[in-house]
Amino acid sequence: MGEVSFAPLPEGDVSVDVVVVGGGAAGLCAAIAARSAGCSVLLLERDATLSGSTAMSQGAVCAAGSRAQARAGIDDDAERFLADIMAKTDGTADPVIARLVAQASGPTMDWLTETLGLPYAVNAGWSGFFGHSVNRLHSLPSQTGTEMSAHLQTAAQAAGVDIVTGAHVTTLFAAPDGAVRGALMQRPNGDAEPVACRALVAATCGFGANRDMIRQHIPGFGNAPTYRYHGHPGNDGAGIAWGCALGAATGSMDAFQGYGTLADPHGVLFNYNAIMGGGVLVNAHGARFSDELADISGQALAVLEQPAPVWALFDAEREAAVADLPEYRELAAAGAVQRAEDLAQLARVTGADPAILAETISQARLAAEGGASCPFGRDFRGAAPLAAPYRAVRVTGALFHTQGGVQLDAAGAVIRPDGSTLPNFFAAGGTARGISGNGASGYLPAAGLCTAVTLGRLAGERAAQAAMKSG
């Protein structure tokens, strides 16, 4: 995984200006940007289809100062986004990368919509913001990552990007100074084929599927026996390993996006809108254990620390808000949504202590009615109290994707610890250090795809410049 050889590249028949490794949103954006700059581009994807983490997402991208925001009457800009990033991460986000992403996110969204034709618009129904001071959540009509992936693949093919699937890049070949000479791709039949290039973009996402790296960098997940990884199995950290072998610096390796309501054992997202609207999370005893809205990503660890099973409790009114979402329909069809006509039945369904559960629901009701404050500090005002008939979904804490990676400079180039740049190795998406600072609490909603498309486009442009310079 992530091997770099400093031996000569084996002879082969394929040579291009830019090789992009990884066919998710970051890789596709990098490939399109490099091809648009006039370079020959080969995108190599290890899977049989282009999907990756992008297809598993809801396709949402946060961006500041976009024309879509302006049309929606939202006043936003890069400085405001940067301030939100630094506030959300308590100042632990790298300010150089944070500024780079904040400044380029709006233009990248305009590029996606106006140049590539993706039908993004500001999601007017989104609320809460969770660290964003304004609504900068851009969504597609279907609110699925599969739609995003399909649009980007169409745009890449239209631009003339050569795409090869079933091509697992196992080894990079580099000169002693760290300049990448090419890559070795493994085909499904076992054949290995070298590809020479003048620049390479690693867009292989993070290391969520690499349990050893998770144990090393995020032990709260790596050492938890019940946590679920809800991401692409190919996210093994290869791109980060290549960067390190070439001498790159890394940062924020303990950063990740978590999620506290992955349906257990179904492995399907239970949409958090039901919790945001007044639902609660309870442990095996029927007791709440946190402010469910204070830290959506960090809630994953809070759930894992509780006696299992943990349940998401809501009611018919909250169900109506999520009933039409694809994930909820899947959960309902799989029998994951338990129904209870009263508290006694709810206790039987969840296995909770009836008295503790009744007190939990009573406290939440009083907080919503303004008769008491929540012991965990959650503001229930504006949410109708939970009422019978009830609904319950068993959930667990999940890791979606890691946010740490190789360090970038202000222009988006990969740098060494001394600040010097690698000659022609570029990184995007989860391979590059993100904007979430340290740990789980700094993740802003839709930041994952924001960095994927923004850093992907920039990496493609920088790779094209490097290829042209060397050519």
Side-chain angles (χ1 to χ4, degrees):
M1 184 275 295
E3 179 183 353
V4 172
S5 172
F6 292 94
L9 176 72
E11 291 187 4
D13 298 326
V14 182
S15 178
V16 296
D17 293 326
V18 177
V19 163
V20 177
V21 186
L28 285 164
C29 286
I32 295 167
R35 181 71 186 118
S36 299
C39 289
S40 58
V41 180
L42 179 62
L43 185 149
L44 302 176
E45 166 58 45
R46 65 187 293 174
D47 291 344
T49 60
L50 301 184
S51 56
S53 300
T54 301
M56 300 181 69
S57 73
Q58 295 178 331
V61 178
C62 61
S66 70
R67 294 192 181 99
Q69 282 183 305
R71 287 191 294 270
I74 298 170
D75 183 17
D76 194 16
D77 58 29
E79 290 302 316
R80 188 168 187 172
F81 191 10
L82 176 62
D84 287 348
I85 293 169
M86 301 312 293
K88 179 66 172 173
T89 62
D90 291 329
T92 62
D94 178 74
V96 173
I97 298 176
R99 180 174 292 279
L100 176 68
V101 172
Q103 290 177 336
S105 63
T108 297
M109 177 54 62
D110 296 341
W111 176 70
L112 289 173
T113 56
E114 299 176 8
T115 302
L116 304 187
L118 275 71
Y120 271 104
V122 174
N123 189 336
W126 189 59
S127 62
F129 303 164
F130 300 103
H132 293 292
S133 57
V134 298
N135 186 352
R136 53 177 68 104
L137 191 80
H138 298 70
S139 297
L140 292 166
S142 70
Q143 297 189 44
T144 65
T146 53
E147 182 183 4
M148 180 185 196
S149 183
H151 279 297
L152 287 174
Q153 182 174 351
T154 298
Q157 292 169 333
V161 174
D162 291 319
I163 298 173
V164 179
T165 58
H168 183 193
V169 176
T170 59
T171 308
L172 300 189
F173 288 83
D177 66 352
V180 176
R181 291 168 165 160
L184 189 69
M185 63 174 176
Q186 192 85 29
R187 304 294 283 163
N189 63 2
D191 291 346
E193 183 177 357
V195 178
C197 64
R198 293 185 174 89
L200 183 138
V201 178
T204 58
C205 204
F207 56 91
N210 188 322
R211 191 66 181 261
D212 289 338
M213 290 184 72
I214 293 296
R215 289 192 181 100
Q216 177 185 356
H217 299 292
I218 313 175
F221 268 118
N223 297 324
T226 60
Y227 101 93
R228 297 283 296 274
Y229 169 58
H230 189 71
H232 192 271
N235 295 347
D236 60 4
I240 298 172
W242 289 330
C244 290
L246 293 169
T250 60
S252 299
M253 291 297 285
D254 65 339
F256 65 94
Q257 181 197 5
Y259 197 68
T261 57
L262 185 73
D264 183 30
H266 305 82
V268 177
L269 295 182
F270 173 67
N271 193 279
Y272 221 73
N273 286 347
I275 304 299
M276 291 162 54
V280 297
L281 298 179
V282 300
N283 60 24
H285 306 303
R288 289 180 59 231
F289 49 88
S290 67
D291 175 353
E292 294 89 346
L293 306 186
D295 185 357
I296 303 299
S297 177
Q299 189 70 15
L301 292 177
V303 167
L304 290 175
E305 292 168 354
Q306 294 302 305
V310 172
W311 294 87
L313 304 183
F314 52 113
D315 57 16
E317 178 180 334
R318 259 55 63 150
E319 182 181 47
V322 299
D324 291 334
L325 297 176
E327 298 96 337
Y328 191 82
R329 292 198 300 266
E330 183 177 351
L331 288 174
V337 182
Q338 304 295 316
R339 289 169 167 77
E341 295 302 319
D342 53 31
L343 282 174
Q345 187 178 7
L346 184 63
R348 291 193 297 271
V349 164
T350 60
D353 183 299
I356 295 176
L357 183 62
E359 178 63 19
T360 295
I361 299 299
S362 176
Q363 287 182 351
R365 179 180 295 110
L366 286 172
E369 294 173 343
S373 60
C374 169
F376 303 102
R378 176 174 170 179
D379 185 356
F380 278 91
R381 290 174 298 179
L386 292 175
Y390 299 101
R391 307 288 188 264
V393 173
R394 179 172 173 168
V395 298
T396 189
L399 186 149
F400 277 10
H401 51 80
T402 55
Q403 295 288 302
V406 298
Q407 184 68 37
L408 307 180
D409 67 8
V414 179
I415 60 174
R416 302 181 180 94
D418 64 3
S420 61
T421 59
L422 295 186
N424 64 347
F425 175 86
F426 301 88
T431 302
R433 183 179 183 179
I435 59 174
S436 296
N438 299 330
S441 300
Y443 184 81
L444 284 161
L449 282 177
C450 171
T451 54
V453 298
T454 303
L455 297 180
R457 180 177 69 90
L458 294 175
E461 293 173 350
R462 302 296 180 265
Q465 293 170 2
M468 292 175 180
K469 183 178 180 180
S470 69

